[in-house]
Amino acid sequence: MTSLALKSLWARKVRALTTMLAVVIGVAFVAGTYILTDTTFAAFDEIFEDSLAKTDVVISAKDEVRQESGEVPSFGADLLPKVKQVRGVSVAAGQIFTPGGFFDEENEQIGSKFAPKFITSILPEALETQTYTEGRLPRDASEAALDQDAAEEAGLGLGDTLKLASVERVAAYRIVGLTRLGDASWGGASIAGLVLPEAQRITGKRGEFDQIAIAAAGVSEATLKQRVERVVPSSVLVETAKQNAERNSDQIREDIGFLRIALLVFAFVALFVGAFLIFNTFSITVAQRIREFGMLRTLGASRRQILSSVVIEALAIGLLGALVGLLAGYGIAVGLNALFVAIGIDLPTTALVTKDRTIVVSLLIGIGVTLVSSFIPALRSTRVPPIAALLAIELPHSRRRGLVTAAAAVLLGVAGLAMLLAGLFGGADGGAAAGLMGGGAVVVILGVSLFSPRLVRPLASVAGKPLEIARRLTGRLARENTQRNPARTAVTAAALMIGLAVVVFVTVFAAGIKSSIATAVDESFQGELVIQNSDGFSPISPRTAPAAARVSGVELVSSLRAAQAKLLDGGGGKPRVSSLSRNADAVLNIDWTDGGPETLRRLTDGEAILNKSFADGNDLALGDRVRFLTQIGAKPELEVVGEFEDKAGLLGSVIVTQGLMARQFDQRDDLIDFVKLTPGADAARVQASLAALMKRDFPVAEVRNQQELKENQEEQINQLLGLIYALLGLAVIVSLFGIANTLALSIHERTRELGMLRAIGMSRRQVRTMIRYEAVITALIGALLGMVLGVIFAALIAQPLKDEGFALSYPVGTLVALLVFAAIAGVLAAIAPARRASRLNVLESLQYE
C-alpha cells in the first residue's frame, strides 16, 4: 500500500504541494522563532563572555528587586582599596556601566530611541576586552571612544563630536577611538567609553562603581572569589566571571522570553489555520476518490489497508512539509529580525543557531498536525463499499451524525466559554490564566467550526445577495454553489475565520486602549505640558524639572518618580511604587477614595497612599502597616494613610515621599515632569522655549502637550499593531491557499457541470466571474464569523479591566475595511482556479466522469 499511496500522491502533485504549503508555513514560523531567539540568546552569551574574557572575579551590588528600566544599584568606590589588598588579586578596577543618551553635534539622537546605549569607563589594559579598530583610548575628560557599529551608523569618525547625556546636562566629547567587542552583533546597542572620573560625573555616580573587575594571579577563580567575599560587605555580590556571565544571560532569557512565547502563539495560529486546510483537502479528495477506493475494495483491499494508504499520503506530506518548513525557518528568522529592526527593535545576532530541539519539534509538529488533520477523512475512506467501483456514489451523511456533531459543537462552545471565564475571573496566576483563556478561545473556535455548516446557508444568502443583485444569474449560481456543500464551505471559511477573529480582536482591543488612554489623559492631567524621555518609559535627569521651572511662563513643575518593590508579609508581587512632588495636586487630578490633596501634602517618610485595587487585593486598609523590599535591600515599613483610584495607570500601586524614594528605593531620576503654565501664558510659546531648553541641555527629554501625549501613545500602539498584523499575515495567507485549493478541487469535481454551462452559452468570462464570486462569498462567510468571534473575545476580556477605566471602542470603519479586505482576498485566491475553470474544453468536459 505504501507504493500505491506514493503513486497516488505523485498523480496529484499540485494538490499535494498546496496542502504541504500549509505545513511549510506553520513549521517555518515555529522553526524561525526558535532559530531567531536561540541566535539572540547565543549572541548575548557571546557578548557577556567576551566582555569578561580577561576578568576572573566580578563584584556588583545585589539587585534585590529587578527594575523594569533595567537599572541596577551602584556601591561605594571605597571598596576598591580593600579588594586590591586581597592575596591573589593581580589587577582590580572599578567600572561604570550605566544607560545614557547618545547625540551628534546638532543634538540629534544617534540610533533608535528604543536601543540601549551605555556610558562606560575604560578599564586597564589587563582587564579591557574591547579592541580599538581605530584610534586610541581616551586620556582625559574631553575625549571618548565609541563602538564602531554605532559610529558607522551615525556617520561619525575620529575627531568628530559625540554628545552624551545622563543625570548631568549633555556634554560634548571628541571621538579618539573606535572599538569592537568580539564578533557578535550588538544589534542597536551602543557603548561610549570615558575616563573613570568623567564617567562617574556625567552619570551622577561620583565615589561609586557599578562593578569591580578583578584578575587573578596564581589562584583559581573559585578560591579568589572566596577570599574577596571575606572582605566585602553583604550588600554586594561576588561572582566568578563565568557565574556573572551566566546570571546576566539568564536574566536576558527571562526578560525577552516573552518574545519567543509571543511568536510561537502566532505560529500556532498559522498551524491551526493550516490544519483546516489539510482537513478540507483530504475530505474533498477522499470524496472524489470513491471509485478508486471501491475498486481497491473489490480487488481485496481491506479497510485497514485503505486507511493505511491515506495515512501514508498524509505522513509523506507532513514529513516533506516539515523538512521544507525547517529550511524555510532560516528565511523566517531573517525576516522576523528585519521586521523588528524596521520598528526600532534591533536584536543582537551572531551566526544562526539551530539546536536539536528545533529540528525535533519542527518534525513532530509538521507530521503531527498533518496526521491529526487527515485522520477523520482517512477514517471516512474506509467506509467506501466495493460497489462504488461500479457506480459513482457519495458517502452517506446520516442525520444522526449531524445531530452528534451539533451537540459536540454546543458542548465545545460552552466548555470553551467556561475556560475563558475561569481564566478571566477565576483568580488564577498570570501563566495559568493565560493558558485557560488561550485554550478556551481555541475550544470555542472549534465549536463554532463544527456548528458553522448550519450557518453557511443564511450567511451565504447575506453575503451573496449584493452579488446576485448586481450580476443576476452569475451571482446566483455562485451563491448556490457555496450552499451546495455547507460542510466544505464551512471548513474553508473557518480557516479565514480564525485569522480574522484574531485580527478583529486585536483591532477592537487596541481601539479600546487608545480611547481609554485619551480619556485618562484628559481626566488626569490638569497641567498643560509634560516632559518625559523620548522613548516614553525611561527616566530623565532630575535636573530637568528645576531648569524647566525657570522658563518664562511656567508657574510650577511637579515630578513623578517610580521604582519596583516587593510586597512583604502579604501576597507578594512587584508593585510599582511612585513618589510625587507635594504640589502634584496642581497638575494631576487624583481620584481620591480616602483622603485628598492634603493627604499628599502632609505625607511623611513613614506613610504611604495605596491604589484601591492594590489595597483590596492585599486586604489592606487605612491604619494598616505595609512593608516592602526595595532594590537595594531596604525594608521600609509604612502606615496606610490614603487610597486612590488610577484609571490612567500612571501612579502605580503605592505613593511615597520623594525623600523616601531616594533613600530607600535608590531612585533619584524623574519619570515624568508635569508643567503648569502661569495664567494667560502663551502655551505654544512656552512649549517652544521648553523644547529648545531640552534640546540644548537635556536632549533625551521631550516636551509634549496633552494632544501630543495621546498621539505618541497612539503611535506606539499603531506600531505594535503593525507588527501583529504582519505576523498574522502568514495565517491569512494559509487561509487564502485553503480557498484556492478548495476551489481547484471543486472545479475538478464539477468538470462536467462546467462543461454543460459552457455548452448552453455561458462565456469564459462568466465562468471566471462565477468562481471568483464563490471565493468572495466563502471569504465573507469566514470574515463575518471571525468578526463576531473577535468582538465577543474582546468584550469578554475587557470585563475585568472596566474597574481600571478600560472601555471598549468599536472602530466601525476599520471593521468594514476588514470585510472589504476579505472580499478582495477571495478574489485573489480565486484567480488561478477561475482561469483554469474558464479554459476547460467543452467537449472533453461533457464526456468527463
Side-chain angles (χ1 to χ4, degrees):
M1 295 304 291
T2 301
S3 175
L4 180 64
L6 295 179
K7 287 180 179 178
S8 175
L9 201 60
W10 182 253
R12 300 171 177 84
K13 296 183 289 293
V14 176
R15 183 261 297 172
L17 287 173
T18 52
T19 306
M20 190 176 72
L21 190 63
V23 183
V24 169
I25 291 177
V27 170
F29 211 147
V30 173
T33 295
Y34 279 120
I35 291 170
L36 174 63
T37 52
D38 286 338
T39 300
T40 299
F41 294 152
F44 276 113
D45 292 343
E46 188 175 331
I47 289 169
F48 292 134
E49 290 171 3
D50 288 342
S51 65
L52 297 172
K54 295 182 180 180
T55 300
D56 295 300
V57 175
V58 181
I59 300 175
S60 56
K62 286 184 177 177
D63 191 5
E64 298 287 355
V65 183
R66 295 199 63 210
Q67 304 295 297
E68 289 180 355
S69 64
E71 294 177 284
V72 296
S74 53
F75 56 91
D78 55 358
L79 198 60
L80 182 60
K82 297 179 183 178
V83 172
K84 287 183 175 181
Q85 294 174 5
V86 174
R87 185 165 54 90
V89 172
S90 171
V91 181
Q95 187 179 28
I96 296 296
F97 196 84
T98 297
F102 290 17
F103 305 89
D104 61 19
E105 192 169 9
E106 304 299 324
N107 279 8
E108 295 297 330
Q109 186 167 264
I110 293 174
S112 167
K113 62 183 178 181
F114 298 112
K117 301 171 183 63
F118 300 97
I119 298 172
T120 184
S121 58
I122 57 174
L123 288 167
E125 185 178 353
L127 293 169
E128 184 61 73
T129 55
Q130 290 194 86
T131 57
Y132 280 75
T133 57
E134 292 184 51
R136 57 172 174 81
L137 280 74
R139 294 172 183 165
D140 57 45
S142 67
E143 298 178 340
L146 180 64
D147 70 276
Q148 188 174 23
D149 289 341
E152 290 176 355
E153 183 180 353
L156 299 176
L158 298 181
D160 290 336
T161 297
L162 170 68
K163 291 187 175 182
L164 303 177
S166 184
V167 173
E168 296 293 333
R169 285 178 169 82
V170 66
Y173 304 90
R174 184 168 62 91
I175 299 175
V176 296
L178 301 180
T179 63
R180 177 173 292 280
L181 177 64
D183 297 323
S185 165
W186 278 62
S190 309
I191 298 179
L194 304 172
V195 294
L196 178 60
E198 178 60 14
Q200 290 173 313
R201 182 197 71 81
I202 196 169
T203 59
K205 295 182 177 180
R206 291 183 177 87
E208 293 181 323
F209 295 141
D210 289 324
Q211 68 178 31
I212 293 176
I214 307 169
V219 63
S220 69
E221 291 184 355
T223 301
L224 184 58
K225 173 193 170 186
Q226 293 174 352
R227 292 178 183 177
V228 172
E229 284 178 326
R230 297 190 190 107
V231 302
V232 299
S234 58
S235 60
V236 298
L237 180 64
V238 182
E239 301 168 295
T240 65
K242 182 179 180 181
Q243 289 172 335
N244 182 268
E246 289 177 348
R247 179 173 62 84
N248 286 325
S249 293
D250 289 343
Q251 288 179 351
I252 290 294
R253 282 171 166 77
E254 181 182 340
D255 289 342
I256 64 176
F258 76 92
L259 178 62
R260 172 177 288 177
I261 295 172
L263 291 176
L264 287 176
V265 167
F266 289 106
F268 171 79
V269 173
L271 284 166
F272 196 33
V273 171
F276 279 84
L277 190 160
I278 296 166
F279 173 84
N280 208 25
T281 301
F282 273 89
S283 295
I284 296 173
T285 53
V286 165
Q288 291 177 351
R289 294 165 64 189
I290 288 178
R291 277 198 170 186
E292 175 189 332
F293 292 141
M295 180 64 71
L296 291 173
R297 291 296 309 283
T298 302
L299 296 174
S302 66
R303 290 188 173 186
R304 182 176 181 181
Q305 287 175 315
I306 298 292
L307 177 64
S308 298
S309 174
V310 178
V311 168
I312 289 170
E313 289 185 35
L315 180 63
I317 289 175
L319 179 59
L320 288 173
L323 291 173
V324 175
L326 182 59
L327 294 175
Y330 292 95
I332 292 292
V334 173
L336 287 173
N337 189 58
L339 185 61
F340 289 133
V341 170
I343 64 171
I345 304 174
D346 197 353
L347 298 171
T349 56
T350 184
L352 292 177
V353 175
T354 307
K355 292 188 175 182
D356 292 343
R357 176 257 291 127
T358 303
I359 298 173
V360 172
V361 169
S362 298
L363 291 175
L364 288 177
I365 287 177
I367 296 172
V369 168
T370 309
L371 289 178
V372 170
S373 303
S374 63
F375 185 69
I376 293 178
L379 281 180
R380 289 181 187 170
S381 69
T382 65
R383 296 167 48 216
V384 177
I387 196 174
L390 303 176
L391 184 65
I393 65 173
E394 293 186 4
L395 292 177
H397 296 277
S398 67
R399 183 176 179 182
R400 179 182 176 185
R401 194 180 77 179
L403 293 174
V404 170
T405 301
V410 173
L411 288 175
L412 283 173
V414 171
L417 185 60
M419 291 173 65
L420 269 170
L421 295 176
L424 289 170
F425 305 104
D429 59 29
L436 282 170
M437 289 187 290
V442 170
V443 173
V444 167
I445 288 173
L446 286 174
V448 172
S449 300
L450 285 176
F451 192 78
S452 58
R454 297 175 177 270
L455 302 175
V456 164
R457 294 185 185 280
L459 288 177
S461 297
V462 172
K465 196 64 176 179
L467 299 176
E468 189 173 349
I469 293 173
R471 298 303 297 267
R472 298 186 180 180
L473 180 60
T474 306
R476 179 183 173 183
L477 287 173
R479 174 181 60 78
E480 290 177 347
N481 285 335
T482 56
Q483 294 173 326
R484 179 187 300 178
N485 192 329
R488 179 186 302 175
T489 302
V491 175
T492 307
L496 186 61
M497 173 190 75
I498 297 167
L500 263 295
V502 180
V503 170
V504 169
F505 165 74
V506 171
T507 301
V508 173
F509 206 74
I513 293 175
K514 293 178 188 177
S515 175
S516 300
I517 288 176
T519 301
V521 168
D522 291 336
E523 292 179 353
S524 299
F525 295 166
Q526 297 185 65
E528 288 82 354
L529 303 172
V530 298
I531 304 173
Q532 60 180 165
N533 195 296
S534 59
D535 64 20
F537 57 87
S538 298
I540 57 178
S541 171
R543 304 184 190 282
T544 304
R550 292 192 290 270
V551 172
S552 176
V554 173
E555 180 177 332
L556 61 89
V557 180
S558 182
S559 60
L560 165 69
R561 299 173 182 176
Q564 277 69 47
K566 285 184 180 178
L567 176 64
L568 299 176
D569 307 325
K574 284 175 57 176
R576 192 178 77 163
V577 181
S578 301
S579 66
L580 294 168
S581 302
R582 297 189 185 278
N583 60 1
D585 62 295
V587 292
L588 287 177
N589 183 23
I590 301 176
D591 186 4
W592 296 95
T593 56
D594 275 300
E598 67 283 353
T599 308
L600 178 62
R601 287 194 290 267
R602 295 198 304 261
L603 192 66
T604 69
D605 289 350
E607 297 173 337
I609 304 170
L610 304 186
N611 189 314
K612 189 177 187 304
S613 62
F614 174 75
D616 292 344
N618 291 279
D619 296 324
L620 295 170
L622 263 62
D624 290 344
R625 303 194 69 79
V626 58
R627 288 201 312 151
F628 297 98
L629 173 65
T630 72
Q631 185 182 25
I632 59 175
K635 298 179 181 179
E637 183 175 351
L638 309 172
E639 180 185 355
V640 180
V641 297
E643 288 186 4
F644 65 94
E645 289 186 342
D646 181 20
K647 293 181 179 180
L650 180 68
L651 304 178
S653 301
V654 185
I655 297 176
V656 300
T657 65
Q658 293 206 331
L660 185 72
M661 177 65 70
R663 292 189 302 275
Q664 301 284 291
F665 293 83
D666 194 36
Q667 181 57 265
R668 296 171 176 81
D669 295 339
D670 295 346
L671 185 63
I672 303 177
D673 291 334
F674 304 95
V675 180
K676 183 174 179 60
L677 307 184
T678 55
D682 185 336
R685 184 188 62 78
V686 176
Q687 183 175 359
S689 299
L690 285 170
L693 170 66
M694 295 303 120
K695 187 173 180 62
R696 186 184 73 239
D697 293 343
F698 308 99
V700 76
E702 289 186 357
V703 184
R704 298 185 176 107
N705 57 37
Q706 289 191 14
Q707 183 60 33
E708 290 169 341
L709 187 62
K710 291 186 284 189
E711 290 173 355
N712 180 65
Q713 295 294 322
E714 288 187 6
E715 180 183 349
Q716 294 183 30
I717 294 171
N718 288 336
Q719 201 170 42
L720 180 60
L721 271 177
L723 174 63
I724 292 174
Y725 289 158
L727 295 174
L728 285 172
L730 289 177
V732 175
I733 289 172
V734 173
S735 66
L736 297 184
F737 274 105
I739 294 174
N741 211 26
T742 301
L743 286 173
L745 291 170
S746 69
I747 288 168
H748 173 77
E749 188 178 68
R750 292 154 54 195
T751 300
R752 192 169 186 175
E753 172 195 325
L754 292 171
M756 182 65 73
L757 290 173
R758 292 278 286 115
I760 62 175
M762 180 175 276
S763 67
R764 289 185 173 183
R765 181 178 180 182
Q766 287 176 315
V767 171
R768 287 196 300 268
T769 301
M770 180 182 69
I771 300 299
R772 282 198 296 266
Y773 285 175
E774 288 181 38
V776 169
I777 293 171
T778 302
L780 286 174
I781 290 172
L784 289 169
L785 289 173
M787 195 162 292
V788 171
L789 281 177
V791 169
I792 290 174
F793 288 155
L796 285 173
I797 292 178
Q799 295 307 307
L801 302 176
K802 282 186 175 181
D803 292 340
E804 306 297 327
F806 180 80
L808 276 182
S809 176
Y810 298 96
V812 177
T814 304
L815 297 180
V816 171
L818 287 174
L819 286 176
V820 174
F821 164 79
I824 295 173
V827 172
L828 294 176
I831 289 175
R835 181 175 299 176
R836 180 187 169 193
S838 67
R839 291 180 177 180
L840 290 175
N841 183 282
V842 177
L843 293 178
E844 291 179 359
S845 299
L846 290 173
Q847 297 173 22
Y848 184 84
E849 291 186 7

